[in-house]
Amino acid sequence: MNDGMNQFLQVFFEETEEHLASLELLLLGLDLEQPDAEELNGIFRAAHSIKGSAGMFGFDDLTAVTHELETLLDRIRGGQLALHAEMVDLFLQARDVLMRLLHAHQHQQPDPDIPTAATVQQLRTLLEKAPEPTRVDDSFGFFGQAPGQPGQPGQPGQAVAEDDDFGFFDDAPGAPVAEDDTFGLFAEVPGAPQTEATAPALAIKSVPTVQSAPAKPASHEAESSSIRVSVEKIDSLINLVGELVITQAMLGQLGGALDPSVHERIHQALAQLEHNTRDLQESVMSIRMLPISFIFSRFPRLVRDTSSRLGKQVELQLQGEHTELDKGVIERLSDPLTHIVRNSIDHGIELPEERIQAGKPACGTVRLGAFHQGGSIVVEVSDDGRGLSRERILAKAREKNLAVHDGMSNAEVWPLIFMPGFSTAEMVTDLSGRGVGMDVVKRNIQGMGGRIDIDSAAGLGTRISIRLPLTLAILDGLIVAVAQTHYVIPLTYIVESLQPKASDIRGLGGEEGSVIRVRGEYLPLLSLHDLLGESSPALPPEQSIVVILEADGRLFALLVDDLVGQQQVVIKSLEQNFRRIDGIAGATIMGDGSVALILDVDALPRLAERQGEALHALDQF
């Protein structure tokens, strides 16, 4: 197949995936008692679009399934067939078959196990139960029927039928509503008589002329205002912008050595270059940003299917779907979230009878939310189920010969579930119980430079929080120096910096660490010199600089030798190019060509705890 046809095929595969995702979401949101007309029309249009495009490329299996699906949906939206739960289940099964067929064609790997023929037969069986629809005139309703015409009630004057004007004109009083290709934009006027064959089962409100007039131009404008670009091209562009940022930093450092009074125009040009580079970087980075609804949209179906298999009633609540995140982070976040949500339903949410006995509603709730916090994005999965069992977790830990004791705090017990092979499930099912998953979840989150935290209360539920960087490419940082080595602290963690006084610093004795008094408040004081194991002697605290940082909602002070300045830096993976170092999130190239290490601020308190310093020294005051 030539390159031109491959290009068209790629567009077809992408658009069909979008149509199938839209079809699934609309099916899951249908109200079986009073289905919304626009949702029915949206489902019909998705199936109709797939059928037309698949037929053009000769994908007969896709066309066969969508043809039966389209016909059934047309009967439903026309009122000839009532919608019920089993029908929605079958439509979702058909959607899954279409997705499998699409992937088989996309990868040119035919799959004989796809139940295409069985799905078509099931859809036809449903179709055979539906009455024959009334005939729709090929004129698309441009011409009204004459008074007293067969099949219509006699009305004085000519009847006005629906047409293809997409709601630009209101129906005349008493006009009968006929089935046509207007996708249900016209409402039946109250009091209009109908025959049994044409009476719709849905009450559809008319679309006001003012709102519907720009419908067609808006559609064409949306199509012409976007363009499909491959991810590889975007990644290449981001890499080039990253190199431009490094080059701009080098020029800025060279320009700083020039006398401003003599080289004023050079300084002005460098300032303009810095401004333009920052604007370009922000614009390019925004291209990769996608709303997290890109993956949130998968979970209504997951929750529906999982709860049905377990005999539970679960409601999914989504919050912050429009929160934007880097595309690379979103793609790697999908699998961990899927496992966490399944665990919430399987282990957390109780059976309806158990919930009623506990004084809870029979239907459990799983909440999936996202929001920005500082320079990170936080994704939370919470439920109102039974919560984690501290006793069972400790018992399982003892079985695995882990060093645990009854005096451990909950904050120390909950992370045990992330140990490899750890599971408290009483029986092994196809959903859980094999001890595989949560350790992989934690490893994947940490691999993205994030962390995962758990908070749980018996009988009230569990909340799992995932904190991730907004982007994986460029950040604004404060350059600090420790023993002639430069480090970068992301600006989003910094509260303030100050020159400490010796009288404000107090040691706690032994290896308990130190605290510093800042405006009457005592904060744990960590030394970056000691944390990273610098061999040269550290400066006295009163000759150093203290940077106040906020991580995990808590403040602590970090002692450094000097402040070098603020700079935008390009993140390079240290683990891929060298090895992983505790407390270091990555590296960057400075303007003079040297390498600076980017601090993992969230990891510094934990690193201090492992080294015997007391992060909780504040609790003693």
Side-chain angles (χ1 to χ4, degrees), residues 568-591:
Q568 193 175 57
V569 299
V570 180
I571 303 173
K572 303 290 185 180
S573 173
L574 190 65
E575 190 171 358
Q576 292 180 1
N577 297 287
F578 179 54
R579 63 180 175 84
R580 182 175 180 83
I581 300 177
D582 290 337
I584 302 299
T588 188
I589 301 175
M590 303 298 293

PDB file of all heavy atoms in Angstrom, residues 568-591:
ATOM      1  N   GLN A 568      15.910  28.798  34.006  1.00  0.00           N
ATOM      2  CA  GLN A 568      15.077  27.760  33.411  1.00  0.00           C
ATOM      3  C   GLN A 568      15.996  26.643  32.915  1.00  0.00           C
ATOM      4  O   GLN A 568      16.966  26.902  32.204  1.00  0.00           O
ATOM      5  CB  GLN A 568      14.273  28.338  32.243  1.00  0.00           C
ATOM      6  CG  GLN A 568      13.151  27.455  31.757  1.00  0.00           C
ATOM      7  CD  GLN A 568      12.333  28.161  30.698  1.00  0.00           C
ATOM      8  OE1 GLN A 568      12.869  28.579  29.674  1.00  0.00           O
ATOM      9  NE2 GLN A 568      11.041  28.293  30.924  1.00  0.00           N
ATOM     10  N   VAL A 569      15.702  25.416  33.322  1.00  0.00           N
ATOM     11  CA  VAL A 569      16.604  24.320  33.001  1.00  0.00           C
ATOM     12  C   VAL A 569      15.861  23.209  32.261  1.00  0.00           C
ATOM     13  O   VAL A 569      14.638  23.052  32.408  1.00  0.00           O
ATOM     14  CB  VAL A 569      17.262  23.735  34.275  1.00  0.00           C
ATOM     15  CG1 VAL A 569      18.080  24.794  34.975  1.00  0.00           C
ATOM     16  CG2 VAL A 569      16.216  23.172  35.222  1.00  0.00           C
ATOM     17  N   VAL A 570      16.597  22.474  31.467  1.00  0.00           N
ATOM     18  CA  VAL A 570      16.071  21.337  30.720  1.00  0.00           C
ATOM     19  C   VAL A 570      16.414  20.060  31.473  1.00  0.00           C
ATOM     20  O   VAL A 570      17.578  19.802  31.773  1.00  0.00           O
ATOM     21  CB  VAL A 570      16.664  21.288  29.298  1.00  0.00           C
ATOM     22  CG1 VAL A 570      16.095  20.102  28.525  1.00  0.00           C
ATOM     23  CG2 VAL A 570      16.372  22.586  28.558  1.00  0.00           C
ATOM     24  N   ILE A 571      15.390  19.263  31.790  1.00  0.00           N
ATOM     25  CA  ILE A 571      15.603  18.056  32.590  1.00  0.00           C
ATOM     26  C   ILE A 571      16.161  16.935  31.715  1.00  0.00           C
ATOM     27  O   ILE A 571      15.606  16.614  30.671  1.00  0.00           O
ATOM     28  CB  ILE A 571      14.282  17.602  33.240  1.00  0.00           C
ATOM     29  CG1 ILE A 571      13.698  18.723  34.090  1.00  0.00           C
ATOM     30  CG2 ILE A 571      14.496  16.360  34.093  1.00  0.00           C
ATOM     31  CD1 ILE A 571      12.328  18.415  34.634  1.00  0.00           C
ATOM     32  N   LYS A 572      17.250  16.366  32.170  1.00  0.00           N
ATOM     33  CA  LYS A 572      17.834  15.193  31.533  1.00  0.00           C
ATOM     34  C   LYS A 572      17.779  14.026  32.528  1.00  0.00           C
ATOM     35  O   LYS A 572      18.013  14.216  33.720  1.00  0.00           O
ATOM     36  CB  LYS A 572      19.288  15.450  31.122  1.00  0.00           C
ATOM     37  CG  LYS A 572      19.488  16.639  30.189  1.00  0.00           C
ATOM     38  CD  LYS A 572      18.932  16.385  28.803  1.00  0.00           C
ATOM     39  CE  LYS A 572      19.255  17.542  27.875  1.00  0.00           C
ATOM     40  NZ  LYS A 572      18.710  17.328  26.502  1.00  0.00           N
ATOM     41  N   SER A 573      17.474  12.841  32.030  1.00  0.00           N
ATOM     42  CA  SER A 573      17.373  11.681  32.908  1.00  0.00           C
ATOM     43  C   SER A 573      18.757  11.254  33.370  1.00  0.00           C
ATOM     44  O   SER A 573      19.624  10.908  32.558  1.00  0.00           O
ATOM     45  CB  SER A 573      16.686  10.515  32.185  1.00  0.00           C
ATOM     46  OG  SER A 573      16.729   9.342  32.974  1.00  0.00           O
ATOM     47  N   LEU A 574      18.951  11.282  34.678  1.00  0.00           N
ATOM     48  CA  LEU A 574      20.234  10.844  35.227  1.00  0.00           C
ATOM     49  C   LEU A 574      20.317   9.323  35.258  1.00  0.00           C
ATOM     50  O   LEU A 574      21.380   8.737  35.049  1.00  0.00           O
ATOM     51  CB  LEU A 574      20.405  11.414  36.640  1.00  0.00           C
ATOM     52  CG  LEU A 574      21.783  11.248  37.277  1.00  0.00           C
ATOM     53  CD1 LEU A 574      22.823  12.042  36.496  1.00  0.00           C
ATOM     54  CD2 LEU A 574      21.759  11.704  38.728  1.00  0.00           C
ATOM     55  N   GLU A 575      19.170   8.686  35.487  1.00  0.00           N
ATOM     56  CA  GLU A 575      19.158   7.224  35.589  1.00  0.00           C
ATOM     57  C   GLU A 575      19.499   6.572  34.258  1.00  0.00           C
ATOM     58  O   GLU A 575      20.208   5.566  34.208  1.00  0.00           O
ATOM     59  CB  GLU A 575      17.787   6.762  36.072  1.00  0.00           C
ATOM     60  CG  GLU A 575      17.732   5.289  36.438  1.00  0.00           C
ATOM     61  CD  GLU A 575      16.424   4.930  37.108  1.00  0.00           C
ATOM     62  OE1 GLU A 575      15.592   5.824  37.314  1.00  0.00           O
ATOM     63  OE2 GLU A 575      16.249   3.740  37.425  1.00  0.00           O
ATOM     64  N   GLN A 576      19.023   7.151  33.157  1.00  0.00           N
ATOM     65  CA  GLN A 576      19.310   6.568  31.838  1.00  0.00           C
ATOM     66  C   GLN A 576      20.751   6.800  31.414  1.00  0.00           C
ATOM     67  O   GLN A 576      21.339   5.985  30.718  1.00  0.00           O
ATOM     68  CB  GLN A 576      18.356   7.166  30.795  1.00  0.00           C
ATOM     69  CG  GLN A 576      16.903   6.749  30.980  1.00  0.00           C
ATOM     70  CD  GLN A 576      16.001   7.364  29.929  1.00  0.00           C
ATOM     71  OE1 GLN A 576      16.462   8.100  29.048  1.00  0.00           O
ATOM     72  NE2 GLN A 576      14.720   7.077  30.007  1.00  0.00           N
ATOM     73  N   ASN A 577      21.322   7.948  31.834  1.00  0.00           N
ATOM     74  CA  ASN A 577      22.674   8.288  31.399  1.00  0.00           C
ATOM     75  C   ASN A 577      23.754   7.923  32.407  1.00  0.00           C
ATOM     76  O   ASN A 577      24.926   7.896  32.063  1.00  0.00           O
ATOM     77  CB  ASN A 577      22.746   9.797  31.109  1.00  0.00           C
ATOM     78  CG  ASN A 577      21.827  10.204  29.976  1.00  0.00           C
ATOM     79  OD1 ASN A 577      22.088   9.921  28.815  1.00  0.00           O
ATOM     80  ND2 ASN A 577      20.727  10.879  30.305  1.00  0.00           N
ATOM     81  N   PHE A 578      23.358   7.681  33.658  1.00  0.00           N
ATOM     82  CA  PHE A 578      24.363   7.341  34.675  1.00  0.00           C
ATOM     83  C   PHE A 578      23.794   6.256  35.589  1.00  0.00           C
ATOM     84  O   PHE A 578      23.875   5.079  35.303  1.00  0.00           O
ATOM     85  CB  PHE A 578      24.752   8.600  35.452  1.00  0.00           C
ATOM     86  CG  PHE A 578      25.762   8.380  36.530  1.00  0.00           C
ATOM     87  CD1 PHE A 578      26.966   7.756  36.248  1.00  0.00           C
ATOM     88  CD2 PHE A 578      25.520   8.806  37.828  1.00  0.00           C
ATOM     89  CE1 PHE A 578      27.917   7.548  37.244  1.00  0.00           C
ATOM     90  CE2 PHE A 578      26.456   8.617  38.835  1.00  0.00           C
ATOM     91  CZ  PHE A 578      27.654   7.985  38.532  1.00  0.00           C
ATOM     92  N   ARG A 579      23.197   6.627  36.690  1.00  0.00           N
ATOM     93  CA  ARG A 579      22.532   5.697  37.590  1.00  0.00           C
ATOM     94  C   ARG A 579      21.611   6.489  38.506  1.00  0.00           C
ATOM     95  O   ARG A 579      21.696   7.708  38.593  1.00  0.00           O
ATOM     96  CB  ARG A 579      23.539   4.899  38.428  1.00  0.00           C
ATOM     97  CG  ARG A 579      24.399   5.730  39.365  1.00  0.00           C
ATOM     98  CD  ARG A 579      25.358   4.861  40.153  1.00  0.00           C
ATOM     99  NE  ARG A 579      26.267   5.633  40.977  1.00  0.00           N
ATOM    100  CZ  ARG A 579      25.980   6.094  42.195  1.00  0.00           C
ATOM    101  NH1 ARG A 579      24.779   5.848  42.715  1.00  0.00           N
ATOM    102  NH2 ARG A 579      26.865   6.794  42.883  1.00  0.00           N
ATOM    103  N   ARG A 580      20.734   5.794  39.200  1.00  0.00           N
ATOM    104  CA  ARG A 580      19.800   6.453  40.101  1.00  0.00           C
ATOM    105  C   ARG A 580      20.516   6.855  41.387  1.00  0.00           C
ATOM    106  O   ARG A 580      21.292   6.077  41.955  1.00  0.00           O
ATOM    107  CB  ARG A 580      18.625   5.531  40.425  1.00  0.00           C
ATOM    108  CG  ARG A 580      17.571   6.173  41.321  1.00  0.00           C
ATOM    109  CD  ARG A 580      16.375   5.252  41.510  1.00  0.00           C
ATOM    110  NE  ARG A 580      15.367   5.851  42.346  1.00  0.00           N
ATOM    111  CZ  ARG A 580      14.442   6.703  41.904  1.00  0.00           C
ATOM    112  NH1 ARG A 580      14.426   7.021  40.624  1.00  0.00           N
ATOM    113  NH2 ARG A 580      13.552   7.212  42.719  1.00  0.00           N
ATOM    114  N   ILE A 581      20.251   8.084  41.863  1.00  0.00           N
ATOM    115  CA  ILE A 581      20.838   8.602  43.103  1.00  0.00           C
ATOM    116  C   ILE A 581      19.700   9.092  43.990  1.00  0.00           C
ATOM    117  O   ILE A 581      18.846   9.871  43.545  1.00  0.00           O
ATOM    118  CB  ILE A 581      21.819   9.760  42.819  1.00  0.00           C
ATOM    119  CG1 ILE A 581      22.961   9.286  41.910  1.00  0.00           C
ATOM    120  CG2 ILE A 581      22.377  10.324  44.118  1.00  0.00           C
ATOM    121  CD1 ILE A 581      23.934  10.378  41.525  1.00  0.00           C
ATOM    122  N   ASP A 582      19.672   8.634  45.221  1.00  0.00           N
ATOM    123  CA  ASP A 582      18.625   9.058  46.149  1.00  0.00           C
ATOM    124  C   ASP A 582      18.687  10.570  46.360  1.00  0.00           C
ATOM    125  O   ASP A 582      19.759  11.144  46.592  1.00  0.00           O
ATOM    126  CB  ASP A 582      18.799   8.351  47.501  1.00  0.00           C
ATOM    127  CG  ASP A 582      18.470   6.869  47.424  1.00  0.00           C
ATOM    128  OD1 ASP A 582      17.718   6.499  46.503  1.00  0.00           O
ATOM    129  OD2 ASP A 582      18.965   6.097  48.257  1.00  0.00           O
ATOM    130  N   GLY A 583      17.529  11.208  46.282  1.00  0.00           N
ATOM    131  CA  GLY A 583      17.448  12.647  46.482  1.00  0.00           C
ATOM    132  C   GLY A 583      17.673  13.463  45.234  1.00  0.00           C
ATOM    133  O   GLY A 583      17.563  14.692  45.267  1.00  0.00           O
ATOM    134  N   ILE A 584      17.973  12.798  44.107  1.00  0.00           N
ATOM    135  CA  ILE A 584      18.240  13.493  42.838  1.00  0.00           C
ATOM    136  C   ILE A 584      17.184  13.063  41.817  1.00  0.00           C
ATOM    137  O   ILE A 584      16.987  11.872  41.580  1.00  0.00           O
ATOM    138  CB  ILE A 584      19.655  13.195  42.309  1.00  0.00           C
ATOM    139  CG1 ILE A 584      20.710  13.589  43.340  1.00  0.00           C
ATOM    140  CG2 ILE A 584      19.879  13.915  40.992  1.00  0.00           C
ATOM    141  CD1 ILE A 584      20.714  15.063  43.690  1.00  0.00           C
ATOM    142  N   ALA A 585      16.508  14.050  41.220  1.00  0.00           N
ATOM    143  CA  ALA A 585      15.454  13.749  40.252  1.00  0.00           C
ATOM    144  C   ALA A 585      15.965  13.719  38.823  1.00  0.00           C
ATOM    145  O   ALA A 585      15.346  13.115  37.945  1.00  0.00           O
ATOM    146  CB  ALA A 585      14.325  14.775  40.366  1.00  0.00           C
ATOM    147  N   GLY A 586      17.084  14.371  38.552  1.00  0.00           N
ATOM    148  CA  GLY A 586      17.612  14.414  37.189  1.00  0.00           C
ATOM    149  C   GLY A 586      18.819  15.330  37.143  1.00  0.00           C
ATOM    150  O   GLY A 586      19.397  15.688  38.174  1.00  0.00           O
ATOM    151  N   ALA A 587      19.195  15.723  35.940  1.00  0.00           N
ATOM    152  CA  ALA A 587      20.352  16.594  35.750  1.00  0.00           C
ATOM    153  C   ALA A 587      20.034  17.594  34.655  1.00  0.00           C
ATOM    154  O   ALA A 587      19.053  17.438  33.913  1.00  0.00           O
ATOM    155  CB  ALA A 587      21.599  15.782  35.404  1.00  0.00           C
ATOM    156  N   THR A 588      20.856  18.619  34.551  1.00  0.00           N
ATOM    157  CA  THR A 588      20.694  19.611  33.494  1.00  0.00           C
ATOM    158  C   THR A 588      22.066  20.163  33.112  1.00  0.00           C
ATOM    159  O   THR A 588      23.038  20.015  33.865  1.00  0.00           O
ATOM    160  CB  THR A 588      19.762  20.755  33.940  1.00  0.00           C
ATOM    161  OG1 THR A 588      19.474  21.592  32.826  1.00  0.00           O
ATOM    162  CG2 THR A 588      20.404  21.576  35.057  1.00  0.00           C
ATOM    163  N   ILE A 589      22.121  20.788  31.961  1.00  0.00           N
ATOM    164  CA  ILE A 589      23.357  21.406  31.483  1.00  0.00           C
ATOM    165  C   ILE A 589      23.262  22.908  31.709  1.00  0.00           C
ATOM    166  O   ILE A 589      22.315  23.552  31.268  1.00  0.00           O
ATOM    167  CB  ILE A 589      23.579  21.101  29.987  1.00  0.00           C
ATOM    168  CG1 ILE A 589      23.653  19.584  29.767  1.00  0.00           C
ATOM    169  CG2 ILE A 589      24.848  21.778  29.481  1.00  0.00           C
ATOM    170  CD1 ILE A 589      23.749  19.184  28.311  1.00  0.00           C
ATOM    171  N   MET A 590      24.256  23.459  32.409  1.00  0.00           N
ATOM    172  CA  MET A 590      24.265  24.883  32.719  1.00  0.00           C
ATOM    173  C   MET A 590      24.809  25.692  31.546  1.00  0.00           C
ATOM    174  O   MET A 590      25.307  25.145  30.554  1.00  0.00           O
ATOM    175  CB  MET A 590      25.110  25.122  33.977  1.00  0.00           C
ATOM    176  CG  MET A 590      24.639  24.331  35.192  1.00  0.00           C
ATOM    177  SD  MET A 590      22.975  24.787  35.694  1.00  0.00           S
ATOM    178  CE  MET A 590      23.261  26.460  36.255  1.00  0.00           C
ATOM    179  N   GLY A 591      24.713  27.013  31.701  1.00  0.00           N
ATOM    180  CA  GLY A 591      25.157  27.889  30.626  1.00  0.00           C
ATOM    181  C   GLY A 591      26.627  27.776  30.313  1.00  0.00           C
ATOM    182  O   GLY A 591      27.049  28.008  29.172  1.00  0.00           O
TER     183      GLY A 591
END
